[in-house]
Amino acid sequence: VTEIMAFATSAIREAANGEEVIAEVAARTGVTLEVLSGDEEARLTFLAVRRWFGWSSGRVLVLDIGGGSLELAIGADEDPDVAVSVPLGAGRLTRDHLPSDPPKPAEVRALRKLARVEIGQVAGAITRLGQPELVVASSKTFKQLARIAGAAPSSEGFYVRRTLNRDDLRMWIPKLAEMTAQQRTALPGVSAGRARQLVAGALVAEAAMDIFGIEELIVCPWALREGIILRKLDGLYE
């Protein structure tokens, strides 16, 4: 390894002591974290998805649910026409809105409403560009939801087509909400570290698919990390 690229997203971006954390990391390791804005996250993820699916995919809508935010981007070029970040990350929402394990029905209802309101506020910027020809989801939240709904396991490789259907997602949400985090770890593809926040992620995914009229989306194996790498490689040959 000759070079390290280190990046931080919403957790550091919004932390009251974010600058102190960055300084401490630099002091201990000699590595300076680059803090990405929400829009940058969305654009870099879009770049990764575009490179994976290629130019023939036309206008693409990309959804990415992280720990602190939901990124949305749409465009027909390599750089999206619109890229937005909404504070609907699965970790954040679980901490702030789903304190019970399993979550109480009232908590689930309130979070479902919140997700729809937040996405609805930015939906117009996306929909004014017309219907996408391809809808793609990245991030581990979507990968786990697709796996639960029957998508192929990661052991079958990158190139197997994996999708998430809205009807399947709707069917699974009440089941997930009735389980404890520990019980969710028994589901295919669900890691112990993300089991607690899976309900919040599913509610955000459902809200986005409903608002944008998405019946099915394709899960992309590339996301933000690959977008960062691709941008770096592009810069080497400019």
Side-chain angles (χ1 to χ4, degrees), residues 178-227:
E178 290 174 355
M179 298 178 183
T180 64
Q182 181 61 39
Q183 288 171 329
R184 289 180 213 129
T185 62
L187 296 172
V190 178
S191 63
R194 291 178 179 269
R196 180 74 187 274
Q197 62 191 44
L198 194 58
V199 174
L203 291 170
V204 173
E206 177 196 40
M209 294 181 80
D210 280 348
I211 288 171
F212 295 112
I214 302 166
E215 294 297 331
E216 185 178 72
L217 50 76
I218 300 175
V219 178
C220 181
W222 281 3
L224 176 61
R225 176 182 58 188
E226 288 76 17

Side-chain angles (χ1 to χ4, degrees), residues 114-184:
L114 173 68
R116 290 168 189 272
V117 169
E118 291 282 351
I119 296 172
Q121 290 177 350
V122 300
I126 303 289
T127 57
R128 68 177 176 80
L129 296 174
Q131 285 292 113
E133 294 164 84
L134 183 68
V135 181
V136 179
S138 59
S139 76
K140 289 183 179 178
T141 294
F142 275 113
K143 290 176 182 176
Q144 290 186 346
L145 291 171
R147 180 73 182 96
I148 291 169
S154 58
S155 60
E156 294 191 17
F158 281 159
Y159 300 104
V160 175
R161 178 184 170 92
R162 295 175 174 88
T163 63
L164 177 62
N165 184 281
R166 181 164 53 167
D167 289 339
D168 290 338
L169 178 61
R170 283 175 175 163
M171 179 188 71
W172 269 102
I173 287 175
K175 296 179 181 180
L176 293 172
E178 290 174 355
M179 298 178 183
T180 64
Q182 181 61 39
Q183 288 171 329
R184 289 180 213 129

Side-chain angles (χ1 to χ4, degrees), residues 8 21 36 51 67 122 125 149 152 179 200 223:
V21 173
L36 298 175
R51 293 284 179 91
V122 300
M179 298 178 183

